[in-house]
Structure formats: C-alpha cells, structure tokens
Amino acid sequence: MPKYDVKDIGLAKKGMDRIEWAAMDMPVLESIKKRFRKDRPLKGIRISACLHVTTETANLMDTLKAGGADVVLCASNPLSTQDDVAAACVKYIKVPTYSIKGEDNKTYYRHIMSAIDHKPHMTMDDGADVVGVLHTKKKDLLKHVIGGTEETTTGVIRLQAMAAEGVLQYPIMAVNEAMTKHLFDNRYGTGQSTMDGILRATNRLIAGSVFVVCGYGWCGKGLARTAKGMGAHVIVTEVDPLKALEAVMDGHQVMPIKEASAVGDIFVTVTGDLNVIHKGCFPKMKDGAIVANSGHFNSEIEIPALEKMKKKKRMVRDYVEEYTLRNNRRVYLLGEGRLINLASAEGHPSQVMDMSFANQALCAEYMVKNAKKLEKKVYDVPKRIDESIAALKLRAMGVNIDKLTAEQKKYLSSWEMGT
Ligand SMILES: NC(=O)c1ccc[n+]([C@@H]2O[C@H](COP(=O)([O-])OP(=O)(O)OC[C@H]3O[C@@H](n4cnc5c(N)ncnc54)[C@H](O)[C@@H]3O)[C@@H](O)[C@H]2O)c1
C-alpha cells in the first residue's frame, strides 16, 4: 500500500465503485489510457498532482499511471475531497494520496508539502498552489522540475503574473485555455454542478426566484443559463462592459451588485475576484437571502465582514450557516464560501471532465516531449491537441460531421473568388 493521509481507508470499495461509474462517461480519457499503456510516454516521470479529489481525478491518476508516471495526489481545496475516492486512489489505483474533506488550512498545506516531497519532474495544479509553494518554500526542488500544467482560470491568471514578473521557473501548459476545457467544463460543468450544490445544500425551488450571478465569464454564462432554464429571474453583475452587454443580449437583467443586493433571493459569485459581495451588500439583502460562491477561492464573498456584522450565527443544515445581522435579517452562507459545486455536490459531471482531463494527460505527454524547447512561460494547449480531443469526443458520442471538399478548401483560402 502506498503512503497516505485520508479520512478512512475502509471507504475504498465504495469509492472504487463510483470511480468506475464515472469512467463509463469518460471515453476520451479511456482511449488515451489504452494508448499510454502501450507507449508509456510518462515512464519514470514523477508528478505531484494537486487537484480536486473526485471520481474523475481518480480516472486521470489511473491514466497517468498507465503512461508510466509515478504520481502523488493532494487536494486543491480543503472542502472538495471525496473521502471514499481518496481511499480508493490509495488502495486500488496505488497512488499516494493526501486529502481529507474539511481539513483545516494547516493540514491542507501539510498535504501539499507531502505531494511536493515527491520531488516532482512535473506539477499538475488546480489553482497554482503547488507552483506557489515550490517557488517560495521549496526552491531547492525546482531543479528537478521540467514543466507543469494548470487546470483553472484563477491558476492561469496567477501563473501569467509570475511569468510577467520573471519569477516563474519552468514552463506551464494552461489546460484551462483549451476550448475543449473552458467551453464545456467551465460553462456547462460549473453551470450544472453549481446549481446541484445549491439544491443539495438548500432544497430551495429555483423557479420564480431572483437569482443573481456575479461574473459573466465562462462559468457565469453557464450558471445563468441553468438558472434561467429552471425558471429563475436572472440578474447579472459585471465589471467588463462587453460581458455585461452579452448578458443583456442573452436576456438577463444587468445592474451593480449594490442594487442587486436588495432584490436577490440567491447570490452566486463566479468571478475569480476579491470581495465581490462585500460589506455594503449584506445589510441590504432580504431576510433569508442565500449567498454562495463557485469561483476558485473563498475570497469572493467578504466573509470576515459578515462575521463582524453578525448578531449571531448557527449551522442550520449541512453546508448552510445562518448569519443574523443587526437589522435582524438572516443571510445564509453556503459551504463556507468555498466552491459550492464541490463542497456540497460532486463537482462537474464526468462527461465534461473527460475532455478537461484528456487535456491534462495529453499536455503531460507534450511537456515530456517538448520541455527542453519551451521557455519559462505559460503556454496555450496546442490546437492540434484541442481538435483531437473534440474529434474523439464527437466519435464517442456517435456524432458525425462534414469534411471540407477540395473546392471549399481552395475557396476558403483564396481572396479572388467572389460572387
Ligand atoms: N467551481 C468550479 O468547479 C470551477 C470551474 C472552473 C472555473 N472555476 C473558477 O471560477 C472563476 C471564474 O472562472 P471563469 O472561467 O468563468 O473566468 P472568466 O475570466 O471567464 O470570468 C470571470 C468574469 O468575472 C468578471 N468579474 C471580475 N470581477 C468582477 C466583479 N467585481 N463583479 C462582477 N464581475 C466581475 C470578469 O469581468 C469576467 O467576465 C475562477 O476563479 C475559476 O478558477 C471554478
């Protein structure tokens, strides 16, 4: 048995059953795993993976191992771990795993350190925490690292800031920037699973509610679409005029957060920003307002301010904390303001993670082949990889598409042909 720190190794069988259930909807990753088993493109490569420990991640771990990698896994959020899956990763997939749902910050960083102690050749991050710790507290290990991958928007933004400052010490593939990632994972995945998290936590009716979505990026668009489809009146808040205009044209109401605060029933932040729902908002909210976040960090809702302005606080259901304010109105904070789709639900459906993690696996292979040629920068996923994943997914779904004829190819690349 590999080394581990999980909640209960006895949960492994239940976790493995659920991992197999997810695998049924991950045909692209499965086809990569089969090829990896033959080609062994990651042979001898030590990988420190810091990802949400879910059934889909377990399938990615299995794929990396099939490719010959020596992988260690830790959580990328204190509240996103599925404890049965963590146990199964250890017992059945034979990956050292360090993650416990609900771990405190100290344990969270101790687990990251355990993953880093693996002396990785490659890092696989969701939020750039491993890169951050390596570049600050474990600089001596940087010499082993050839490259890394990053899963999410917030992580990519941080890494680009590191590259711009000239502090990034190895190349990173920005998996999030692949079309087969953010178009599906961020939009449809976050859109559906965030709603799933809110429903599991509250069991509230969405139809007829005023549903406020803060941020109209990929995640926000998906969430607004889901809420509208369920009969909510959707209000969008934005800071980018183009995104705000898009929201208006998509049929949503757009207004500043302070105005929305007074009319919303349910509020969700998906911006990657700080204090989007801030201290000026809470006293304006209706009695019973629900506030949640599905952005990467728990910094989008100004929780310290809510703490200061509360008269009392109590847990009323799992993942639902009631704050009674001095004006006697009650505000309900879900999942400690951490990404609610992973805190109270199971994260994205496997069908979209199939493509996100196909990108992870193929980018790891790409990095091994090309690391020496790459600079210490953040790279987009090559179009060739993106298109191959889309083609594999379509084939797995039984969807055929047309091919350009020779005549059409010529027409599309010429400038002389007109009417
Ligand atoms: N919950 C999940 O499973 C999951 C999945 C994917 C991404 N994420 C995270 O969700 C967040 C959003 O990701 P994305 O891909 O949609 O990013 P994005 O860059 O496409 O969109 C973010 C949007 O928020 C807007 N914004 C920024 N500050 C704002 C403010 N103060 N008020 C209102 N709007 C504001 C931006 O203008 C932008 O349109 C990131 O933190 C990302 O890492 C979470």
Side-chain angles (χ1 to χ4, degrees), residues 53-108:
V53 180
T54 65
T55 54
E56 294 80 16
T57 300
N59 280 296
L60 173 62
M61 295 301 107
D62 204 27
T63 305
L64 299 175
K65 284 204 76 172
D70 175 5
V71 203
V72 167
L73 176 64
C74 68
S76 58
N77 185 287
L79 214 51
S80 65
T81 296
Q82 297 170 6
D83 289 318
D84 54 348
V85 171
C89 282
V90 176
K91 186 161 178 192
Y92 296 106
I93 302 182
K94 306 286 181 202
V95 167
T97 302
Y98 303 92
S99 70
I100 299 171
K101 189 175 178 103
E103 60 197 10
D104 58 22
N105 256 27
K106 210 170 132 207
T107 314
Y108 176 71

Short mmCIF file of all heavy atoms in Angstrom, two decimals, residues 53-108:
data_model
loop_
_atom_site.label_atom_id
_atom_site.label_comp_id
_atom_site.label_asym_id
_atom_site.label_seq_id
_atom_site.Cartn_x
_atom_site.Cartn_y
_atom_site.Cartn_z
N VAL A 53 -10.08 16.07 -5.39
CA VAL A 53 -10.01 14.60 -5.34
C VAL A 53 -11.42 14.03 -5.55
O VAL A 53 -12.18 13.82 -4.60
CB VAL A 53 -9.35 14.14 -4.02
CG1 VAL A 53 -9.28 12.62 -3.96
CG2 VAL A 53 -7.94 14.72 -3.93
N THR A 54 -11.75 13.84 -6.82
CA THR A 54 -13.07 13.36 -7.22
C THR A 54 -12.92 12.08 -8.04
O THR A 54 -11.80 11.69 -8.38
CB THR A 54 -13.77 14.41 -8.11
OG1 THR A 54 -13.02 14.53 -9.32
CG2 THR A 54 -13.85 15.77 -7.44
N THR A 55 -14.06 11.50 -8.40
CA THR A 55 -14.03 10.25 -9.18
C THR A 55 -13.32 10.46 -10.52
O THR A 55 -12.60 9.57 -10.99
CB THR A 55 -15.47 9.76 -9.46
OG1 THR A 55 -16.22 10.81 -10.06
CG2 THR A 55 -16.16 9.33 -8.18
N GLU A 56 -13.49 11.64 -11.12
CA GLU A 56 -12.87 11.91 -12.42
C GLU A 56 -11.35 12.04 -12.27
O GLU A 56 -10.59 11.54 -13.11
CB GLU A 56 -13.45 13.18 -13.04
CG GLU A 56 -14.93 13.09 -13.41
CD GLU A 56 -15.86 13.27 -12.23
OE1 GLU A 56 -15.41 13.76 -11.16
OE2 GLU A 56 -17.05 12.93 -12.35
N THR A 57 -10.94 12.69 -11.19
CA THR A 57 -9.50 12.83 -10.94
C THR A 57 -8.86 11.46 -10.75
O THR A 57 -7.74 11.20 -11.23
CB THR A 57 -9.27 13.72 -9.69
OG1 THR A 57 -9.85 15.00 -9.95
CG2 THR A 57 -7.79 13.87 -9.37
N ALA A 58 -9.58 10.56 -10.08
CA ALA A 58 -9.05 9.20 -9.89
C ALA A 58 -8.81 8.54 -11.25
O ALA A 58 -7.80 7.85 -11.45
CB ALA A 58 -10.04 8.38 -9.06
N ASN A 59 -9.72 8.76 -12.19
CA ASN A 59 -9.54 8.20 -13.53
C ASN A 59 -8.34 8.83 -14.24
O ASN A 59 -7.64 8.16 -15.00
CB ASN A 59 -10.82 8.36 -14.36
CG ASN A 59 -11.83 7.28 -14.01
OD1 ASN A 59 -11.59 6.09 -14.23
ND2 ASN A 59 -12.96 7.67 -13.43
N LEU A 60 -8.10 10.12 -13.98
CA LEU A 60 -6.90 10.75 -14.56
C LEU A 60 -5.64 10.11 -13.95
O LEU A 60 -4.67 9.82 -14.66
CB LEU A 60 -6.92 12.27 -14.30
CG LEU A 60 -5.66 13.02 -14.70
CD1 LEU A 60 -5.37 12.91 -16.20
CD2 LEU A 60 -5.74 14.50 -14.29
N MET A 61 -5.66 9.89 -12.63
CA MET A 61 -4.49 9.29 -11.97
C MET A 61 -4.18 7.93 -12.59
O MET A 61 -3.03 7.58 -12.84
CB MET A 61 -4.75 9.10 -10.45
CG MET A 61 -4.93 10.39 -9.67
SD MET A 61 -3.50 11.49 -9.76
CE MET A 61 -4.09 12.77 -10.84
N ASP A 62 -5.24 7.17 -12.85
CA ASP A 62 -5.10 5.84 -13.46
C ASP A 62 -4.46 5.95 -14.85
O ASP A 62 -3.61 5.14 -15.23
CB ASP A 62 -6.50 5.20 -13.54
CG ASP A 62 -6.42 3.69 -13.59
OD1 ASP A 62 -5.44 3.13 -13.07
OD2 ASP A 62 -7.34 3.06 -14.16
N THR A 63 -4.87 6.97 -15.59
CA THR A 63 -4.34 7.19 -16.95
C THR A 63 -2.85 7.56 -16.89
O THR A 63 -2.04 7.05 -17.66
CB THR A 63 -5.14 8.32 -17.65
OG1 THR A 63 -6.52 7.96 -17.61
CG2 THR A 63 -4.70 8.52 -19.08
N LEU A 64 -2.51 8.46 -15.96
CA LEU A 64 -1.10 8.88 -15.85
C LEU A 64 -0.24 7.68 -15.46
O LEU A 64 0.87 7.49 -15.97
CB LEU A 64 -0.96 10.00 -14.80
CG LEU A 64 -1.73 11.30 -15.10
CD1 LEU A 64 -1.61 12.27 -13.94
CD2 LEU A 64 -1.22 11.95 -16.39
N LYS A 65 -0.77 6.85 -14.56
CA LYS A 65 -0.02 5.65 -14.16
C LYS A 65 0.15 4.70 -15.35
O LYS A 65 1.21 4.10 -15.54
CB LYS A 65 -0.74 4.93 -13.01
CG LYS A 65 -0.53 5.63 -11.68
CD LYS A 65 -0.69 4.69 -10.53
CE LYS A 65 0.52 3.79 -10.39
NZ LYS A 65 0.52 3.00 -9.20
N ALA A 66 -0.91 4.57 -16.15
CA ALA A 66 -0.83 3.71 -17.34
C ALA A 66 0.27 4.20 -18.26
O ALA A 66 0.94 3.41 -18.94
CB ALA A 66 -2.17 3.69 -18.07
N GLY A 67 0.50 5.52 -18.27
CA GLY A 67 1.56 6.10 -19.09
C GLY A 67 2.94 5.95 -18.48
O GLY A 67 3.92 6.42 -19.05
N GLY A 68 3.00 5.37 -17.29
CA GLY A 68 4.30 5.11 -16.67
C GLY A 68 4.69 6.14 -15.62
O GLY A 68 5.80 6.08 -15.06
N ALA A 69 3.80 7.10 -15.33
CA ALA A 69 4.16 8.15 -14.36
C ALA A 69 4.13 7.62 -12.93
O ALA A 69 3.40 6.68 -12.60
CB ALA A 69 3.19 9.32 -14.49
N ASP A 70 4.92 8.27 -12.09
CA ASP A 70 4.96 7.98 -10.65
C ASP A 70 4.25 9.18 -9.99
O ASP A 70 4.86 10.24 -9.83
CB ASP A 70 6.44 7.87 -10.27
CG ASP A 70 6.66 7.70 -8.78
OD1 ASP A 70 5.66 7.57 -8.06
OD2 ASP A 70 7.84 7.72 -8.37
N VAL A 71 2.97 9.01 -9.68
CA VAL A 71 2.13 10.16 -9.27
C VAL A 71 1.83 10.18 -7.78
O VAL A 71 1.62 9.12 -7.17
CB VAL A 71 0.74 10.12 -9.96
CG1 VAL A 71 0.13 11.51 -10.01
CG2 VAL A 71 0.80 9.52 -11.33
N VAL A 72 1.77 11.38 -7.23
CA VAL A 72 1.29 11.61 -5.86
C VAL A 72 0.17 12.63 -5.95
O VAL A 72 0.25 13.57 -6.75
CB VAL A 72 2.43 12.13 -4.96
CG1 VAL A 72 1.90 12.66 -3.65
CG2 VAL A 72 3.43 11.03 -4.68
N LEU A 73 -0.88 12.45 -5.14
CA LEU A 73 -2.06 13.33 -5.25
C LEU A 73 -2.36 14.01 -3.91
O LEU A 73 -2.33 13.37 -2.85
CB LEU A 73 -3.26 12.47 -5.67
CG LEU A 73 -4.63 13.14 -5.75
CD1 LEU A 73 -4.67 14.23 -6.83
CD2 LEU A 73 -5.72 12.09 -6.03
N CYS A 74 -2.66 15.32 -3.99
CA CYS A 74 -3.22 16.01 -2.82
C CYS A 74 -4.38 16.88 -3.31
O CYS A 74 -4.55 17.07 -4.51
CB CYS A 74 -2.16 16.86 -2.11
SG CYS A 74 -1.59 18.27 -3.07
N ALA A 75 -5.16 17.41 -2.35
CA ALA A 75 -6.36 18.18 -2.71
C ALA A 75 -6.01 19.61 -3.10
O ALA A 75 -5.05 20.17 -2.58
CB ALA A 75 -7.32 18.19 -1.53
N SER A 76 -6.82 20.20 -3.99
CA SER A 76 -6.61 21.60 -4.36
C SER A 76 -7.61 22.52 -3.66
O SER A 76 -7.69 23.70 -3.98
CB SER A 76 -6.72 21.77 -5.87
OG SER A 76 -7.98 21.33 -6.32
N ASN A 77 -8.36 21.96 -2.72
CA ASN A 77 -9.29 22.76 -1.91
C ASN A 77 -9.62 21.96 -0.65
O ASN A 77 -9.83 20.76 -0.75
CB ASN A 77 -10.57 23.05 -2.72
CG ASN A 77 -11.51 23.99 -1.98
OD1 ASN A 77 -12.15 23.61 -1.01
ND2 ASN A 77 -11.57 25.21 -2.44
N PRO A 78 -9.67 22.62 0.51
CA PRO A 78 -9.91 21.85 1.75
C PRO A 78 -11.27 21.16 1.81
O PRO A 78 -11.45 20.22 2.58
CB PRO A 78 -9.83 22.92 2.85
CG PRO A 78 -9.15 24.09 2.23
CD PRO A 78 -9.43 24.05 0.76
N LEU A 79 -12.23 21.63 0.98
CA LEU A 79 -13.59 21.09 1.11
C LEU A 79 -14.04 20.29 -0.11
O LEU A 79 -15.20 19.87 -0.18
CB LEU A 79 -14.56 22.27 1.36
CG LEU A 79 -15.77 22.04 2.27
CD1 LEU A 79 -15.37 21.42 3.59
CD2 LEU A 79 -16.51 23.35 2.51
N SER A 80 -13.15 20.04 -1.06
CA SER A 80 -13.62 19.39 -2.30
C SER A 80 -13.34 17.89 -2.37
O SER A 80 -13.77 17.22 -3.31
CB SER A 80 -12.99 20.09 -3.51
OG SER A 80 -11.59 19.92 -3.52
N THR A 81 -12.64 17.36 -1.38
CA THR A 81 -12.27 15.94 -1.43
C THR A 81 -13.47 15.02 -1.23
O THR A 81 -14.31 15.26 -0.37
CB THR A 81 -11.23 15.64 -0.33
OG1 THR A 81 -10.06 16.38 -0.62
CG2 THR A 81 -10.89 14.16 -0.26
N GLN A 82 -13.52 13.95 -2.02
CA GLN A 82 -14.49 12.88 -1.78
C GLN A 82 -13.71 11.79 -1.05
O GLN A 82 -12.82 11.15 -1.63
CB GLN A 82 -15.07 12.41 -3.12
CG GLN A 82 -15.84 13.54 -3.80
CD GLN A 82 -16.25 13.26 -5.24
OE1 GLN A 82 -16.09 12.16 -5.76
NE2 GLN A 82 -16.80 14.28 -5.88
N ASP A 83 -14.01 11.61 0.25
CA ASP A 83 -13.16 10.77 1.10
C ASP A 83 -13.10 9.32 0.61
O ASP A 83 -12.06 8.67 0.74
CB ASP A 83 -13.66 10.83 2.55
CG ASP A 83 -13.37 12.18 3.20
OD1 ASP A 83 -12.25 12.70 2.99
OD2 ASP A 83 -14.24 12.72 3.90
N ASP A 84 -14.20 8.82 0.05
CA ASP A 84 -14.18 7.43 -0.44
C ASP A 84 -13.25 7.30 -1.66
O ASP A 84 -12.54 6.31 -1.83
CB ASP A 84 -15.60 6.94 -0.77
CG ASP A 84 -16.35 7.84 -1.72
OD1 ASP A 84 -15.89 8.98 -1.97
OD2 ASP A 84 -17.41 7.42 -2.25
N VAL A 85 -13.22 8.35 -2.48
CA VAL A 85 -12.36 8.34 -3.67
C VAL A 85 -10.88 8.42 -3.24
O VAL A 85 -10.02 7.71 -3.80
CB VAL A 85 -12.73 9.50 -4.61
CG1 VAL A 85 -11.71 9.65 -5.72
CG2 VAL A 85 -14.12 9.28 -5.18
N ALA A 86 -10.60 9.27 -2.24
CA ALA A 86 -9.22 9.38 -1.76
C ALA A 86 -8.73 8.00 -1.29
O ALA A 86 -7.61 7.57 -1.60
CB ALA A 86 -9.15 10.39 -0.62
N ALA A 87 -9.61 7.28 -0.58
CA ALA A 87 -9.24 5.94 -0.08
C ALA A 87 -9.01 4.98 -1.25
O ALA A 87 -8.04 4.20 -1.26
CB ALA A 87 -10.34 5.42 0.85
N ALA A 88 -9.88 5.05 -2.27
CA ALA A 88 -9.75 4.16 -3.43
C ALA A 88 -8.49 4.46 -4.23
O ALA A 88 -7.86 3.55 -4.78
CB ALA A 88 -10.98 4.28 -4.33
N CYS A 89 -8.12 5.73 -4.30
CA CYS A 89 -6.88 6.10 -5.02
C CYS A 89 -5.69 5.37 -4.38
O CYS A 89 -4.79 4.91 -5.07
CB CYS A 89 -6.66 7.61 -4.96
SG CYS A 89 -7.69 8.49 -6.12
N VAL A 90 -5.71 5.29 -3.07
CA VAL A 90 -4.60 4.63 -2.36
C VAL A 90 -4.68 3.12 -2.58
O VAL A 90 -3.73 2.48 -3.05
CB VAL A 90 -4.68 4.93 -0.83
CG1 VAL A 90 -3.60 4.17 -0.07
CG2 VAL A 90 -4.59 6.42 -0.59
N LYS A 91 -5.84 2.55 -2.26
CA LYS A 91 -5.95 1.08 -2.20
C LYS A 91 -5.97 0.43 -3.58
O LYS A 91 -5.33 -0.61 -3.78
CB LYS A 91 -7.22 0.71 -1.42
CG LYS A 91 -7.32 -0.78 -1.18
CD LYS A 91 -8.26 -1.13 -0.08
CE LYS A 91 -8.34 -2.64 0.05
NZ LYS A 91 -9.44 -3.05 0.89
N TYR A 92 -6.69 1.00 -4.52
CA TYR A 92 -6.85 0.33 -5.81
C TYR A 92 -5.99 0.94 -6.92
O TYR A 92 -5.46 0.23 -7.76
CB TYR A 92 -8.32 0.36 -6.25
CG TYR A 92 -9.21 -0.42 -5.31
CD1 TYR A 92 -10.07 0.23 -4.43
CD2 TYR A 92 -9.18 -1.81 -5.28
CE1 TYR A 92 -10.88 -0.48 -3.56
CE2 TYR A 92 -9.98 -2.54 -4.41
CZ TYR A 92 -10.83 -1.87 -3.56
OH TYR A 92 -11.62 -2.58 -2.69
N ILE A 93 -5.89 2.29 -6.93
CA ILE A 93 -5.12 2.91 -8.03
C ILE A 93 -3.64 3.01 -7.64
O ILE A 93 -2.78 3.25 -8.49
CB ILE A 93 -5.76 4.25 -8.43
CG1 ILE A 93 -7.22 3.95 -8.85
CG2 ILE A 93 -5.05 4.93 -9.59
CD1 ILE A 93 -8.02 5.10 -9.32
N LYS A 94 -3.38 2.78 -6.36
CA LYS A 94 -1.99 2.73 -5.85
C LYS A 94 -1.27 4.06 -6.02
O LYS A 94 -0.10 4.11 -6.42
CB LYS A 94 -1.18 1.61 -6.54
CG LYS A 94 -1.82 0.23 -6.46
CD LYS A 94 -1.70 -0.35 -5.08
CE LYS A 94 -2.30 -1.73 -4.98
NZ LYS A 94 -2.67 -2.13 -3.64
N VAL A 95 -1.99 5.14 -5.74
CA VAL A 95 -1.39 6.47 -5.79
C VAL A 95 -1.33 7.02 -4.36
O VAL A 95 -2.37 7.09 -3.70
CB VAL A 95 -2.25 7.40 -6.69
CG1 VAL A 95 -1.85 8.86 -6.51
CG2 VAL A 95 -2.10 7.00 -8.14
N PRO A 96 -0.16 7.40 -3.87
CA PRO A 96 -0.11 8.04 -2.55
C PRO A 96 -1.02 9.26 -2.55
O PRO A 96 -0.90 10.10 -3.45
CB PRO A 96 1.36 8.45 -2.40
CG PRO A 96 2.11 7.62 -3.40
CD PRO A 96 1.16 7.34 -4.52
N THR A 97 -1.92 9.34 -1.58
CA THR A 97 -2.93 10.41 -1.60
C THR A 97 -3.00 11.08 -0.24
O THR A 97 -3.04 10.42 0.79
CB THR A 97 -4.30 9.81 -1.98
OG1 THR A 97 -4.17 9.18 -3.25
CG2 THR A 97 -5.39 10.86 -2.06
N TYR A 98 -3.02 12.42 -0.28
CA TYR A 98 -3.07 13.21 0.96
C TYR A 98 -4.23 14.19 0.86
O TYR A 98 -4.07 15.28 0.29
CB TYR A 98 -1.74 13.96 1.13
CG TYR A 98 -0.54 13.05 1.14
CD1 TYR A 98 0.15 12.76 -0.04
CD2 TYR A 98 -0.11 12.45 2.32
CE1 TYR A 98 1.24 11.90 -0.04
CE2 TYR A 98 0.98 11.58 2.33
CZ TYR A 98 1.65 11.32 1.14
OH TYR A 98 2.71 10.46 1.14
N SER A 99 -5.39 13.82 1.36
CA SER A 99 -6.51 14.76 1.33
C SER A 99 -7.66 14.23 2.18
O SER A 99 -7.97 13.04 2.14
CB SER A 99 -6.98 14.99 -0.12
OG SER A 99 -7.61 13.86 -0.63
N ILE A 100 -8.23 15.16 2.93
CA ILE A 100 -9.36 14.82 3.82
C ILE A 100 -10.38 15.95 3.69
O ILE A 100 -10.03 17.13 3.87
CB ILE A 100 -8.89 14.70 5.29
CG1 ILE A 100 -7.85 13.59 5.43
CG2 ILE A 100 -10.08 14.47 6.23
CD1 ILE A 100 -7.16 13.53 6.78
N LYS A 101 -11.63 15.59 3.39
CA LYS A 101 -12.66 16.64 3.26
C LYS A 101 -12.81 17.39 4.59
O LYS A 101 -12.95 16.77 5.64
CB LYS A 101 -14.00 16.02 2.86
CG LYS A 101 -15.03 17.08 2.52
CD LYS A 101 -16.32 16.48 2.00
CE LYS A 101 -17.34 17.56 1.72
NZ LYS A 101 -17.52 17.88 0.34
N GLY A 102 -12.76 18.72 4.51
CA GLY A 102 -12.93 19.53 5.72
C GLY A 102 -11.64 19.77 6.47
O GLY A 102 -11.66 20.31 7.59
N GLU A 103 -10.49 19.41 5.88
CA GLU A 103 -9.20 19.62 6.57
C GLU A 103 -8.99 21.11 6.82
O GLU A 103 -9.45 21.95 6.03
CB GLU A 103 -8.05 19.03 5.73
CG GLU A 103 -7.90 19.64 4.35
CD GLU A 103 -7.05 18.80 3.38
OE1 GLU A 103 -6.73 17.65 3.69
OE2 GLU A 103 -6.72 19.33 2.31
N ASP A 104 -8.29 21.42 7.95
CA ASP A 104 -8.03 22.84 8.21
C ASP A 104 -6.87 23.32 7.33
O ASP A 104 -6.21 22.51 6.67
CB ASP A 104 -7.78 23.11 9.70
CG ASP A 104 -6.60 22.30 10.23
OD1 ASP A 104 -5.74 21.87 9.41
OD2 ASP A 104 -6.54 22.06 11.45
N ASN A 105 -6.63 24.62 7.33
CA ASN A 105 -5.61 25.20 6.44
C ASN A 105 -4.23 24.61 6.65
O ASN A 105 -3.48 24.39 5.71
CB ASN A 105 -5.55 26.72 6.65
CG ASN A 105 -6.23 27.42 5.50
OD1 ASN A 105 -7.13 26.84 4.86
ND2 ASN A 105 -5.82 28.64 5.21
N LYS A 106 -3.92 24.32 7.95
CA LYS A 106 -2.60 23.77 8.27
C LYS A 106 -2.44 22.39 7.63
O LYS A 106 -1.43 22.08 7.00
CB LYS A 106 -2.48 23.66 9.81
CG LYS A 106 -1.07 23.83 10.29
CD LYS A 106 -1.04 23.96 11.81
CE LYS A 106 0.03 23.02 12.33
NZ LYS A 106 -0.21 22.55 13.67
N THR A 107 -3.48 21.57 7.75
CA THR A 107 -3.43 20.22 7.17
C THR A 107 -3.38 20.32 5.65
O THR A 107 -2.65 19.57 4.99
CB THR A 107 -4.67 19.40 7.60
OG1 THR A 107 -4.84 19.58 9.00
CG2 THR A 107 -4.53 17.94 7.27
N TYR A 108 -4.16 21.25 5.10
CA TYR A 108 -4.18 21.45 3.65
C TYR A 108 -2.76 21.69 3.12
O TYR A 108 -2.30 21.03 2.19
CB TYR A 108 -5.11 22.63 3.32
CG TYR A 108 -5.15 22.99 1.85
CD1 TYR A 108 -5.78 22.16 0.93
CD2 TYR A 108 -4.53 24.16 1.38
CE1 TYR A 108 -5.82 22.49 -0.42
CE2 TYR A 108 -4.57 24.49 0.04
CZ TYR A 108 -5.21 23.65 -0.86
OH TYR A 108 -5.23 23.97 -2.20
#
